[in-house]
Amino acid sequence: MKPLLRTALILIVSLGFAPFTWADNVQVTLDVKGMTCPLCVTVVNQALRKTDGVIKAKANLKTEQAVVTVADDFNLDKLITAVDATGYKGTINKVEKQS
């Protein structure tokens, strides 16, 4: 390793920064009541995906749920607000840390 690069890495680590870490994400399972057709799923998906901070969202008609990936420090109330704004009723079923 070149001396300059080694020095830079030592400096970064000594300042408390871990050079190769990513923010933790959580996977949130929402129960979504009222979806009756594929268009309902599309509407819920669009609302969740437009919400700032949502990394990934996928609603499922059969299970009446949506699985959403967000950052660990995300305000989960935003997800409920997004679903409720579509006319469906959203509630948090489960929150799991992703590794």
Side-chain angles (χ1 to χ4, degrees), residues 25-36:
N25 292 333
V26 292
Q27 184 172 331
V28 183
T29 302
L30 300 171
D31 291 329
V32 183
K33 299 300 177 202
M35 293 191 299
T36 59

Side-chain angles (χ1 to χ4, degrees), residues 23-26 48-49 51-58 67-72 74 79 98:
D24 290 331
N25 292 333
V26 292
L48 289 169
R49 291 173 184 165
T51 304
D52 285 337
V54 170
I55 298 166
K56 184 167 62 171
K58 181 154 179 63
V67 178
V68 185
T69 303
V70 294
D72 189 33
F74 184 82
L79 299 177
Q98 292 184 318

Side-chain angles (χ1 to χ4, degrees), residues 2-99:
K2 295 186 177 186
L4 183 59
L5 181 58
R6 186 176 333 151
T7 303
L9 284 174
I10 290 170
L11 180 61
I12 289 169
V13 172
S14 68
L15 290 174
F17 298 104
F20 301 110
T21 59
W22 296 92
D24 290 331
N25 292 333
V26 292
Q27 184 172 331
V28 183
T29 302
L30 300 171
D31 291 329
V32 183
K33 299 300 177 202
M35 293 191 299
T36 59
C37 68
L39 183 57
C40 300
V41 172
T42 300
V43 170
V44 170
N45 279 336
Q46 287 177 345
L48 289 169
R49 291 173 184 165
K50 281 193 221 176
T51 304
D52 285 337
V54 170
I55 298 166
K56 184 167 62 171
K58 181 154 179 63
N60 184 304
L61 180 60
K62 190 172 186 176
T63 62
E64 292 190 29
Q65 292 183 324
V67 178
V68 185
T69 303
V70 294
D72 189 33
D73 60 349
F74 184 82
N75 179 358
L76 299 181
D77 289 337
K78 287 181 173 182
L79 299 177
I80 302 300
T81 301
V83 172
D84 289 352
T86 64
Y88 306 104
K89 179 67 179 152
T91 56
I92 295 175
N93 177 305
K94 178 172 48 174
V95 178
E96 298 175 305
K97 271 205 186 276
Q98 292 184 318
S99 51

